[in-house]
Amino acid sequence: MDLHHHIRLMAGYNKRLNSQVFAAAATLDHATLTADAGAFFGSILGTLNHMVVTDLLWLARFAKHAPHYKSLQALAELPTPERLDQQLYPAFAALGAARGIIDNAIIEWSADELQSGDLQRALAYHNSKGEVAERDFGELVMHLFNHQTHHRGQVSTLLNQRGLDIGVTDFLQDIPRLDT
């Protein structure tokens, strides 16, 4: 498996699933979106905000990994999160717009800027507690997508409990067929 190719597939999967989740959530009223649903980040909106917060935190760290990551550096125009549970966007429409900007930046970065050699180097960063850490960059990129999948699963369940189906969620749909 080529990790760089896999990351490009995951970027597309990430965007597709986020679009499906946001399309389903858009059918709910504000009270339903913000109602405490017993999730770790409270509500549907709280969980979707957390996903944006963590993406912005990780992508800001990634942006410093290589000077050619212009699409990630451009995300600095969005608000800078201070806490993992921060409601950066209390309005669903603004949150959806930010989600689209982030997903498009991930697509551009993975397709046009990320180089396979970048994945082999360590990334030094400060975590949310200000502690210095250093980890394998390729693994951190996979963590970004895994974290998204984890919380999208939570939101998918919350939406399903409200009678909404977000559609096909399997990554298999995004893996190119070899028999054609």
Side-chain angles (χ1 to χ4, degrees):
M1 177 178 81
D2 176 347
L3 181 57
H4 189 190
H5 176 73
H6 184 66
I7 289 168
R8 287 191 301 270
L9 289 177
M10 289 301 294
Y13 172 72
N14 185 62
K15 182 177 179 173
R16 176 174 69 83
L17 264 289
N18 284 336
S19 294
Q20 289 173 213
V21 164
F22 271 80
T27 66
L28 300 173
D29 61 33
H30 184 74
T32 304
L33 286 169
T34 58
D36 188 345
F40 192 74
F41 292 95
S43 65
I44 293 169
L45 190 67
T47 304
L48 293 173
N49 260 286
H50 170 70
M51 292 165 63
V52 164
V53 162
T54 55
D55 275 6
L56 288 173
L57 290 171
W58 278 113
L59 295 171
R61 295 168 186 155
F62 291 2
K64 297 174 185 172
H65 191 58
H68 52 271
Y69 290 176
K70 302 298 183 202
S71 59
L72 300 185
Q73 293 161 9
L75 294 175
E77 296 177 12
L78 295 176
T80 302
E82 297 175 10
R83 300 179 331 273
L84 295 176
D85 63 348
Q86 185 173 355
Q87 293 286 315
L88 280 181
Y89 297 97
F92 181 76
L95 179 63
R99 177 79 267 161
I101 290 167
I102 294 166
D103 288 346
N104 288 334
I106 293 170
I107 292 284
E108 182 179 343
W109 166 72
S110 67
D112 301 334
E113 299 167 355
L114 180 64
Q115 298 172 7
S116 294
D118 298 341
L119 298 168
Q120 308 307 316
R121 298 191 336 264
L123 175 69
Y125 63 94
H126 290 85
N127 67 19
S128 59
K129 296 176 183 174
E131 302 163 340
V132 175
E134 187 172 349
R135 305 257 170 113
D136 179 276
F137 185 60
E139 296 292 350
L140 290 174
V141 173
M142 296 314 300
H143 168 70
L144 174 85
F145 293 121
N146 187 59
H147 183 263
Q148 283 285 327
T149 299
H150 166 69
H151 286 296
R152 264 195 312 267
Q154 292 175 334
V155 174
S156 173
T157 297
L158 296 174
L159 292 170
N160 186 270
Q161 291 170 348
R162 284 145 189 84
L164 299 172
D165 180 2
I166 67 166
V168 176
T169 60
D170 286 343
F171 176 58
L172 181 62
Q173 180 173 317
D174 299 87
I175 300 172
R177 295 178 62 113
L178 298 178
D179 59 347
T180 56

